[in-house]
Amino acid sequence: MGFKYDKGEGVPGDIVRAHAWISLSAEQGDGRARKSRSIIRDSLTPDQVGEAEALIRELDAMIDNN
């Protein structure tokens, strides 16, 4: 999902959402996501990093509840 947000494929391009989804995938062991996570994070502003981190917590909680 993160790569779709990064490229705007089927969803509006959104680098913050891309970083959040890619981070979740990286935490679950996805090698491609691990490599991409730091590259994308380096392109974010500090405010965007904060937004992404909040979104990661929100998505993680949703996943845990299902």
Side-chain angles (χ1 to χ4, degrees), residues 24 28 55-66:
L24 289 172
Q28 293 187 5
L55 184 55
I56 290 166
R57 288 189 297 275
E58 181 181 323
L59 292 170
D60 205 23
M62 287 174 36
I63 292 166
D64 287 343
N65 287 328
N66 288 322

Side-chain angles (χ1 to χ4, degrees), residues 3-4 6-8 10 13 15 18-19 22 25 31 33-35 46 50 53 55-56 58-59 61-62:
F3 295 108
K4 293 201 175 286
D6 183 39
K7 303 291 184 197
I15 195 72
H19 179 64
I22 288 170
S25 294
R34 284 184 177 171
K35 290 178 183 178
E53 289 173 352
L55 184 55
I56 290 166
E58 181 181 323
L59 292 170
M62 287 174 36

Side-chain angles (χ1 to χ4, degrees), residues 5-16:
Y5 276 112
D6 183 39
K7 303 291 184 197
E9 295 175 352
V11 294
D14 185 331
I15 195 72
V16 171

Side-chain angles (χ1 to χ4, degrees), residues 21-60:
W21 281 107
I22 288 170
S23 291
L24 289 172
S25 294
E27 289 170 13
Q28 293 187 5
D30 184 295
R32 181 177 172 210
R34 284 184 177 171
K35 290 178 183 178
S36 299
R37 176 174 46 185
S38 62
I39 294 168
I40 291 175
R41 185 183 176 102
D42 289 346
S43 71
L44 299 176
T45 66
D47 286 342
Q48 288 173 317
V49 170
E51 275 184 67
E53 289 173 352
L55 184 55
I56 290 166
R57 288 189 297 275
E58 181 181 323
L59 292 170
D60 205 23

